[in-house]
């Protein structure tokens, strides 16, 4: 039985602060004026700033264990948490106007977003099967509820239902895989113990089954094919502010889960899970890039683009090297910057009582707002992986990782798919630049949205020329370089 | 003289890009300011590139004005620039052409003029970057990045089928170059460095060389473009605005040729020697068949586009015929190899000038009558005598008349081909007939004869701006034609070294 000192609460200070603040906001919110959730909004942002500072101060390359080793804080978790805070802050800032215009500016939004973040943080730091499950469920339940946030909207409710049912199924598979793993390893729950136990496992059938189930359960949240079916419907059905939330920070947490489970826990079963991931990557890249061409909805198109991006992230993981993991993390961080901008564009083009989800709504963006059009151009080329943007380096990183382990055919396949994918990004740019606007009115003047968009465009460009900083973060997370 | 401590190449690469972003930001609604600022910055960059000439040592093949700093150490990428006798002429051609293009847009482009100029400035920087790059990823970075401004240029300011043309252009070239990226990464893992110079010295087995060569080949053949992957070029040219066509023909195609010289020949010499007959065959098909295709075009731009493909056939022929020359037992001393490579280089420079001039001339006519159809015109000489005189010079240069730059390159390549194989030289020499047919026939139909219609009767001769723009090209074309020695001196040492690299087996 661990005593109080071995609990070592300092490393989990951010989680404690967050849980406290989320509860506090929950309590304060009902006492605030009916309209405008300024206090909850301000407190949420304040919480994120506080978390950022605390995590930054605690950041160190040493591994910090708490709760008797159940919670682990290392460089990877520090960087992932910092990215999650920034990403969530961007989401909250951008969503503000959108929520207000649609009468969705309720305190629960902030509360759910923060509890979701708590789930992500637990997931990121989990070193124990149960804790992983706990974090995953806390994150997922918040996400289900947020998807259904627009209660009277049939599409959103349907999306939430779909998400919930499929998500529950995936959790069930994960749990079953974990229980098999528990059996195979002779009753180990701690990831480090599992790794030890597996080092002398001869590759039994039960282990293989556990590997497959755990891979399925953990890549579901990322939206890797063939477990991507929920993604288009949920992303399209959810209010755009929520889509923005779903598509950014949780991906970092899901990546963390994949790394913790597959690499930290089952690194010795690499030969078992690598082929599974290769199949998933091949499918993801094909589905993400080819099906996206057929979309007329910009929101759906971005969703399929997400499927292809997570396919690239998995490309880094399946390399099974530190270079590969850091490439995957780098790609994920780049993806978050790009996706924040991508879905942010929909917020920008949306008007009161009108959702700008179709590609047609992009028409003539260059005439309506040249600056935002340029940001859009950068984002699209970045997603396509063209140089001078961040996306190029992200693709280069994962390709390097894959070629580095000799899977050059997979790299060739990936680049062919990215050429196919380039088509729909180009088509989106065509709408924004080459077509005359159908609605010549100026775009949404909300400075919150514009500011974050401009920032994401700037990041894509500046990091596209000087990617060293971000690459450095990503590689330090895995102790490389 | 500028201080030698300046990072000259970085200035030449990044100054236009920064100026472009500046114009894009501050030029909105201030077209006149945007034009003057763009012109000033392009002239400054041109002068900077000229300033390299006096300091350039022509006696060495070594890279000069080298800059090298770590860029992304985790990926082993260095920001590594430098020029030699191959890249310097192309660099100056780029900076010169950009000035011309900005002048050509002066009154013509009214819609979003600042974005147009910005796109060209940014593109100039990227093109300079790919010529100056000595790190393979830096090269790829610029090589691929320049697709963005070109995509926008064709798409916004292009003709009626611009969307089709620009997406085709983008996807074609993108598909071509991604395989090169994989090849570069592969060589990084094999040799531990992305440095092009390092890759040139790296031993590679024949299988590796063939695969890497094919990856390079797809990238550069699409860019040049070689038959049968040329089909994007006529579309892109026809739909592109004048400036876009000029840059496309004068510079972007040359990057493909440059890539063969910088990557394919030195890095994969054995594969090049093995597969040379394939490239020679493609080049000859381009020269003869595409020349015949040009003959039947009704659209002037399309005609010049096909003529470009045909002329670029000489470039690839000159580059790859060297293996046959070297293998020919009758050839002693190996001067034929140098002749072929220098011919290819001169042909690139010359074609850069001539195609720019041809497209600008078509642009001058298009601005007046808004048609590129040959049948719209006829008897232009009666209303535009000065213009007609200059067009005839350009046409003669395109044909390859002695005294113009077009003659030098083609003659050198044909002469060198004779040392390889009589039939190759004969087929290549057919261009003198075919080229003359399509060019002069077009000139006859457009420029000479009686005034055909109202439109032509109302034409006004070139204004001062257009006269300067075309006139400077006339001067350069004739200058290179009668006195190519300075240009050849510039590249002698480098070509010598390249020939040695290409003919030395790595096995």
């Amino acid at each position: 039985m661990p005593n109080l000192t071995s609990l070592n609460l300092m490393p989990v200070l951010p989680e404690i602060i967050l849980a406290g603040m989320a509860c506090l906001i929950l309590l304060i919110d009902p006492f605030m004026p009916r309209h405008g959730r300024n206090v909850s909004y301000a407190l949420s942002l304040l919480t994120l700033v506080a978390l950022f500072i605390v995590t930054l101060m605690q950041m160190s390359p040493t591994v910090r264990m708490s709760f008797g080793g159940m919670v682990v804080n290392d460089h990877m978790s520090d960087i992932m948490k910092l990215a999650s805070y920034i990403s969530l802050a961007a989401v909250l800032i951008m969503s503000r106007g959108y929520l207000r215009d649609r009468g969705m500016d309720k305190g629960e939004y902030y509360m759910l977003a923060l509890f979701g973040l708590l789930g992500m943080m637990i997931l990121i730091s989990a070193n124990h099967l149960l804790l992983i499950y706990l974090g995953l469920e806390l994150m997922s339940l918040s996400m289900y509820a947020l998807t259904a946030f627009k209660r009277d909207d049939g599409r959103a409710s349907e999306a939430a239902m779909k998400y919930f049912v499929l998500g529950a199924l995936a959790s069930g598979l994960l749990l079953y895989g974990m229980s098999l793993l528990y059996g195979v390893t002779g009753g180990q729950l701690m990831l480090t113990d599992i790794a030890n136990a597996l080092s002398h496992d001869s590759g039994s059938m039960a282990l293989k089954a556990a590997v497959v189930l755990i891979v399925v359960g953990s890549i579901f949240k990322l939206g890797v094919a063939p477990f991507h079916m929920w993604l288009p419907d949920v992303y399209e059905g959810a209010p755009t502010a929520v889509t923005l939330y779903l598509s950014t920070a949780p991906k970092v947490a899901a990546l963390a889960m994949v790394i913790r489970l597959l690499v930290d826990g089952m690194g010795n079963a690499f030969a078992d899970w690598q082929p599974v991931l290769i199949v998933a990557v091949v499918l993801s890249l094909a589905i993400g890039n080819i099906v996206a061409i057929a979309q007329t909805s910009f929101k759906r198109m971005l969703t399929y683009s997400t499927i292809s991006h997570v396919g690239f992230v998995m490309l880094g993981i399946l390399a099974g090297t530190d270079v590969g993991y850091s490439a995957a993390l780098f790609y994920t961080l780049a993806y978050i910057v790009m996706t924040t901008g991508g879905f942010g564009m929909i917020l920008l083009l949306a008007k009161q009582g009108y959702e700008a989800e179709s590609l047609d709504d992009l028409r003539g963006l260059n005439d309506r707002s040249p600056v935002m059009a340029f940001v859009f151009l950068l984002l699209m080329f970045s997603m396509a992986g063209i140089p001078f943007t961040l996306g190029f380096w992200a693709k280069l990183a994962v390709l390097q990782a894959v070629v580095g382990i000799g899977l050059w055919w997979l790299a060739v396949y990936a680049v062919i798919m990215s050429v196919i994918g380039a088509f729909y990004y180009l088509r989106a740019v065509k709408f924004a630049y080459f077509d005359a606007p159908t609605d010549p009115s100026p775009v949404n003047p909300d400075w919150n949205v514009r500011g974050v968009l401009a920032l994401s465009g700037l990041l894509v460009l500046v990091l596209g020329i000087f990617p060293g900083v971000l690459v450095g973060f990503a590689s330090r997370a895995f102790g490389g370089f | 003289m500028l201080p030698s401590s300046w990072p000259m190449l970085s200035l030449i690469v990044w100054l236009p890009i920064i100026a472009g972003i500046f114009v894009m930001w501050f030029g909105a609604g201030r077209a006149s300011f945007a034009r003057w600022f763009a012109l000033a910055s392009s002239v400054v960059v041109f002068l900077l590139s000229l300033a390299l000439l006096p300091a350039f040592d022509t006696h060495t093949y070594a890279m000069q004005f080298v800059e090298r700093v770590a860029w992304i150490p985790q990926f082993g990428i260095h920001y590594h620039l430098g020029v030699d006798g191959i890249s310097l002429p192309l660099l100056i051609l780029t900076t010169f052409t950009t000035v011309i293009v900005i002048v050509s847009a002066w009154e013509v482009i009214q819609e979003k003029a600042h974005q147009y100029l910005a796109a060209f400035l940014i593109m100039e920087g990227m093109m300079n970057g790919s010529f100056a790059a000595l790190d393979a990823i830096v090269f790829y970075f610029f090589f691929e990045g320049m697709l963005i401004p070109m995509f926008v240029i064709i798409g916004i300011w292009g003709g009626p089928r611009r969307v089709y043309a620009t997406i085709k252009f983008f996807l074609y070239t993108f598909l071509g170059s991604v395989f090169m990226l994989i090849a570069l990464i592969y060589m990084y893992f094999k040799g531990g460095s992305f440095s092009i110079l390092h890759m040139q010295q790296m031993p590679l087995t024949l299988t590796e060389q063939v695969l890497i060569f094919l990856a390079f080949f797809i990238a550069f053949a699409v860019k040049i473009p070689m038959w049968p992957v040329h089909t994007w070029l006529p579309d892109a040219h026809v739909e592109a605005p004048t400036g876009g066509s000029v840059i496309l023909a004068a510079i972007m195609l040359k990057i493909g040729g440059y890539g063969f010289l910088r990557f394919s020949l030195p890095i994969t010499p054995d594969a090049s020697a093995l597969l040379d007959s394939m490239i020679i065959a493609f080049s000859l098909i381009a020269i003869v068949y595409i020349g015949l295709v040009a003959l039947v075009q009704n659209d002037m731009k399309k005609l010049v586009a096909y003529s470009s493909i045909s002329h670029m056939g000489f470039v690839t022929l000159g580059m790859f015929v060297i293996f046959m020359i070297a293998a020919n037992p009758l050839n002693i001393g190996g001067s034929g190899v140098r002749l072929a490579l220098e011919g290819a280089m001169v042909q690139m420079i010359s074609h850069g000038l001539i195609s720019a001039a041809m497209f600008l001339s078509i642009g001058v006519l298009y601005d007046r009558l808004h048609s590129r159809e040959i049948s719209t015109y006829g008897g232009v000489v009666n209303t535009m005598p000065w213009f007609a005189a200059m067009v005839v010079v350009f046409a003669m240069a395109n044909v390859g008349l002695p005294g113009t730059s077009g003659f030098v390159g083609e003659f050198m390549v044909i002469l060198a081909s004779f040392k390889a194989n009589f039939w190759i030289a004969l087929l290549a020499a057919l261009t003198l007939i075919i080229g003359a047919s399509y060019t002069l026939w077009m000139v006859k139909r457009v420029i000479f004869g009686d005034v055909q219609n109202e439109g032509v009767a109302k034409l006004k001769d070139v204004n001062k701006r257009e006269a300067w723009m075309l006139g400077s090209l006339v001067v350069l074309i004739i200058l290179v034609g009668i006195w190519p020695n300075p240009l050849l001196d510039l590249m002698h040492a480098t070509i010598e070294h390249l020939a040695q690299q290409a003919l030395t087996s790595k096995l």
Side-chain angles (χ1 to χ4, degrees):
Chain A
M1 201 58 203
N3 58 20
L4 204 60
T5 42
S6 82
L7 283 180
N8 192 12
L9 290 177
M10 269 319 272
V12 289
L13 188 60
E15 280 86 347
I16 295 172
I17 295 176
L18 179 58
M21 285 305 285
C23 294
L24 190 68
I25 292 169
L26 187 63
L27 284 176
I28 290 180
D29 193 70
F31 298 100
M32 289 297 127
R34 279 185 70 84
H35 294 290
R37 313 271 31 122
N38 292 331
V39 175
S40 312
Y41 173 67
L43 277 177
S44 307
L45 283 186
L46 204 68
T47 310
L48 290 174
V49 172
L51 291 179
F52 191 86
I53 294 170
V54 172
T55 307
L56 206 59
M57 279 167 61
Q58 288 187 339
M59 204 163 156
S60 89
T62 54
V63 177
R64 288 143 281 151
M65 296 284 189
S66 34
F67 289 102
M70 283 171 86
V71 175
V72 58
N73 275 290
D74 49 17
H75 236 117
M76 178 184 107
S77 66
D78 291 337
I79 286 162
M80 283 181 162
K81 281 176 186 170
L82 290 176
S84 306
Y85 305 151
I86 298 173
S87 155
L88 184 59
V91 169
L92 292 183
I93 292 171
M94 277 175 126
S95 317
R96 185 87 178 117
Y98 180 92
L99 295 173
R100 208 164 24 199
D101 288 350
R102 280 156 192 76
M104 287 157 59
D105 193 16
K106 303 202 179 85
E108 289 85 352
Y109 180 83
Y110 302 102
M111 196 269 294
L112 285 170
L114 289 183
F115 275 121
L117 179 67
L118 183 61
M120 295 173 213
M121 288 167 69
I122 293 173
L123 202 47
I124 289 172
S125 283
N127 190 32
H128 191 275
L129 290 183
L130 288 182
L131 212 53
I132 288 182
Y133 189 72
L134 191 73
L136 178 70
E137 285 308 290
L138 182 52
M139 176 178 96
S140 300
L141 287 170
S142 310
M143 284 158 72
Y144 304 146
L146 276 173
T147 307
F149 200 63
K150 206 171 169 187
R151 208 173 33 187
D152 309 325
D153 185 12
R155 225 167 44 144
S157 311
E158 185 196 328
M161 203 48 158
K162 227 175 228 171
Y163 194 11
F164 178 69
V165 171
L166 288 174
L169 185 67
S171 298
L173 292 177
L174 182 70
L175 213 50
Y176 188 42
M178 285 176 172
S179 63
L180 282 177
L181 192 62
Y182 181 75
V184 169
T185 55
Q188 300 299 344
L189 284 171
M190 209 76 93
L191 289 178
T192 27
D193 297 338
I194 291 174
N196 284 334
L198 286 185
S199 61
H200 29 75
D201 185 279
S202 51
S204 60
M205 210 54 213
L207 177 64
K208 284 193 169 62
V211 163
V212 171
L213 288 169
I214 286 177
V215 168
V216 169
S218 52
I219 65 178
F220 173 86
K221 270 283 167 283
L222 277 170
V224 178
F227 309 102
H228 64 284
M229 303 301 272
W230 60 278
L231 208 72
D233 291 335
V234 171
Y235 278 22
E236 198 190 15
T240 307
V242 174
T243 311
L244 195 60
Y245 177 81
L246 299 182
S247 61
T248 50
K251 299 288 178 202
V252 181
L255 177 72
M257 177 166 81
V258 170
I259 292 175
R260 294 275 184 230
L261 276 172
L262 297 189
V263 180
D264 291 354
M266 305 194 292
N268 287 316
F270 172 68
D272 287 327
W273 54 258
Q274 192 200 30
V276 184
L277 284 188
I278 289 180
V279 174
V281 164
V282 167
L283 285 173
S284 275
L285 293 181
I287 290 170
N289 286 310
I290 295 171
V291 181
I293 294 174
Q295 307 303 321
T296 52
S297 156
F298 180 54
K299 215 171 165 184
R300 262 186 113 84
M301 189 199 100
L302 280 183
T303 310
Y304 280 100
S305 133
T306 297
I307 297 173
S308 121
H309 286 312
V310 291
F312 273 104
V313 171
M314 285 296 115
L315 217 47
I317 299 288
L318 67 79
T321 56
D322 278 347
V323 175
Y325 307 141
S326 63
L329 178 58
F330 176 52
Y331 200 110
T332 309
L333 298 179
Y335 160 81
I336 285 179
V337 174
M338 300 186 291
T339 304
T340 307
F343 285 110
M345 277 293 157
I346 300 175
L347 293 180
L348 179 81
L349 295 170
K351 279 204 273 282
Q352 190 132 29
Y354 179 71
E355 302 291 325
E357 293 176 359
S358 156
L359 277 168
D360 285 320
D361 295 315
L362 290 165
R363 273 184 211 279
L365 185 60
N366 188 27
D367 292 316
R368 296 171 69 192
S369 168
V371 177
M372 286 298 118
F374 186 60
V375 168
F376 180 72
L377 176 117
L378 287 174
L379 290 170
M380 287 298 114
F381 279 115
S382 179
M383 289 189 187
I386 309 295
F388 274 81
T389 61
L390 182 55
F392 167 67
W393 299 110
K395 289 222 162 73
L396 181 71
V398 291
L399 289 177
Q400 263 197 0
V402 173
V403 175
I405 57 159
L407 283 176
W408 59 270
W409 64 269
L410 197 56
V412 170
Y413 173 81
V415 295
I416 291 176
M417 283 301 153
S418 73
V419 173
I420 294 173
F423 171 74
Y424 62 83
Y425 298 119
L426 294 181
R427 190 179 53 176
V429 173
K430 172 235 164 203
F431 278 105
Y433 266 82
F434 309 160
D435 288 349
T438 39
D439 162 27
S441 66
V443 293
N444 186 349
D446 184 347
W447 282 105
N448 289 332
V449 176
R450 285 179 159 233
V452 177
L453 275 177
L455 191 69
S456 69
L458 197 69
L459 275 177
V460 162
L461 184 64
V462 172
L463 291 175
I465 298 174
F466 304 103
V469 190
L470 203 56
V471 176
F473 273 130
S475 50
R476 232 177 300 150
F478 297 94
F481 312 110
Chain B
M1 233 9 265
L2 291 161
S4 57
S5 59
W6 283 25
M8 289 296 282
L9 290 176
S10 283
L11 278 176
I12 291 170
V13 171
W14 291 101
L15 201 62
I17 294 176
I18 293 165
I21 291 172
F22 186 83
V23 167
M24 183 166 59
W25 210 260
F26 295 102
R30 283 180 282 178
S32 168
F33 162 76
R35 287 184 189 115
W36 282 108
F37 186 84
L39 181 65
S41 35
S42 66
V43 168
V44 167
V45 176
F46 176 52
L47 292 177
L48 281 175
S49 69
L50 283 185
L52 296 178
L53 277 178
F56 186 80
D57 181 3
T58 56
H59 302 294
T60 170
Y61 63 82
M63 291 293 165
Q64 299 179 41
F65 309 102
V66 174
E67 294 166 30
R68 190 168 190 272
V69 286
W71 189 10
I72 307 160
Q74 293 88 347
F75 297 167
I77 299 168
H78 292 264
Y79 175 76
H80 190 185
L81 301 182
V83 286
D84 61 3
I86 301 174
S87 41
L88 185 60
L90 291 167
L91 197 71
I92 294 172
L93 180 71
T94 310
T95 54
F96 171 73
T97 313
T98 305
V99 177
I100 296 278
V101 162
I102 284 169
V103 172
S104 83
W106 210 258
E107 297 129 25
V108 181
I109 301 292
Q110 292 294 343
E111 189 203 2
K112 303 192 190 88
H114 64 290
Q115 290 187 352
Y116 184 85
L117 297 167
F120 277 103
L121 284 174
I122 292 171
M123 189 136 83
E124 178 187 12
M126 293 177 179
M127 293 185 298
N128 288 339
S130 49
F131 285 131
L134 290 183
D135 186 284
I137 293 296
V138 177
F139 174 82
Y140 188 86
F141 180 73
F142 289 116
F143 181 77
E144 196 67 15
M146 75 178 82
L147 296 182
I148 300 177
M150 202 52 172
F151 175 76
V152 173
I153 288 166
I154 301 178
I156 299 185
W157 295 277
R161 285 173 71 243
R162 59 184 195 274
V163 174
Y164 168 78
T166 198
I167 290 186
K168 186 174 179 181
F169 153 76
F170 193 103
L171 290 182
Y172 239 106
T173 33
F174 188 33
L175 178 66
S177 47
V178 288
F179 298 109
M180 179 171 77
L181 184 64
I182 306 280
L184 296 177
I185 297 174
Y186 178 82
M187 279 192 281
Y188 168 70
F189 280 108
K190 174 113 193 192
S193 166
F194 273 121
S195 159
I196 297 174
L197 301 177
H198 189 269
M199 286 177 178
Q200 291 178 348
Q201 287 156 5
M202 198 168 97
L204 291 165
T205 67
L206 190 61
T207 325
E208 285 173 328
Q209 281 197 41
V210 168
L211 289 173
I212 292 168
F213 177 84
L214 289 177
F216 286 150
F217 175 71
I218 297 171
F220 300 134
V222 168
K223 203 89 170 179
I224 276 192
M226 280 174 91
W227 182 87
V229 284
H230 64 282
T231 62
W232 62 269
L233 186 79
D235 283 316
H237 266 313
V238 169
E239 301 305 327
T242 304
S245 293
V246 170
I247 291 294
L248 204 54
I251 318 294
M252 278 185 92
L253 308 190
K254 306 301 171 291
I255 294 175
Y258 172 77
F260 276 128
L261 291 179
R262 182 67 79 220
F263 288 88
S264 304
L265 289 180
I267 295 180
T268 58
D270 301 292
S272 305
L274 190 71
L275 298 169
D276 67 335
S277 45
M278 172 180 84
I279 297 191
I280 291 173
F282 285 169
S283 309
L284 290 174
I285 291 173
I287 292 171
V288 178
Y289 165 72
I290 300 291
L292 291 172
V293 172
L295 201 55
V296 295
Q297 299 304 320
N298 299 318
D299 184 309
M300 292 190 281
K301 263 190 155 177
K302 224 171 191 165
L303 192 150
V304 180
Y306 280 113
S307 140
S308 287
I309 303 170
S310 173
H311 282 106
M312 290 308 282
F314 271 96
V315 176
T316 43
L317 177 65
M319 288 172 189
F320 284 89
V321 83
I322 57 169
F323 299 103
M324 280 198 172
I325 300 174
N328 192 338
L330 298 175
N331 176 41
I332 314 150
S335 68
V337 171
R338 217 180 61 197
L339 192 67
L341 287 174
E342 285 181 0
M345 266 305 290
V346 174
Q347 174 73 356
M348 286 213 274
I349 303 288
S350 149
H351 178 260
L353 297 171
I354 297 169
S355 61
M358 296 291 274
F359 280 117
L360 286 170
S361 306
I362 296 169
V364 166
L365 286 178
Y366 183 80
D367 295 339
R368 288 168 170 69
L369 288 188
H370 297 284
S371 165
R372 293 179 305 255
E373 292 292 310
I374 294 177
S375 54
T376 320
Y377 300 91
V380 171
V381 69
N382 299 302
T383 44
M384 301 177 73
W386 281 104
F387 174 71
M390 289 190 279
V391 168
V392 169
V393 173
F394 300 147
M396 290 305 169
N398 202 36
V399 172
L401 191 79
T404 62
S405 64
F407 172 74
V408 185
E410 284 179 21
F411 186 70
M412 286 167 87
V413 174
I414 294 173
L415 208 59
S417 310
F418 266 112
K419 300 194 177 190
N421 183 312
F422 170 76
W423 293 104
I424 292 177
L426 184 79
L427 279 172
L430 274 183
T431 193
L432 296 173
I433 305 168
I434 301 169
S437 318
Y438 61 72
T439 315
L440 298 183
W441 193 30
M442 175 179 77
V443 169
K444 186 224 148 213
R445 285 181 290 170
V446 172
I447 302 287
F448 296 116
D450 296 327
V451 174
Q452 289 292 323
N453 52 42
E454 289 276 296
V456 176
K458 280 189 206 143
L459 282 178
K460 285 206 175 60
D461 207 344
V462 284
N463 59 26
K464 246 186 205 158
R465 173 182 65 85
E466 290 162 338
W468 271 106
M469 177 175 93
L470 297 176
S472 59
L473 284 164
V474 169
V475 171
L476 278 175
I477 286 170
I478 293 179
L479 197 68
V480 176
I482 56 179
W483 195 39
N485 275 350
L487 182 60
L488 292 173
D489 286 342
L490 209 57
M491 53 180 88
H492 262 328
T494 313
I495 294 280
E496 197 89 56
H497 177 64
L498 176 66
Q500 194 196 336
Q501 279 182 316
L503 297 176
T504 312
S505 172
K506 273 188 170 184
L507 298 177

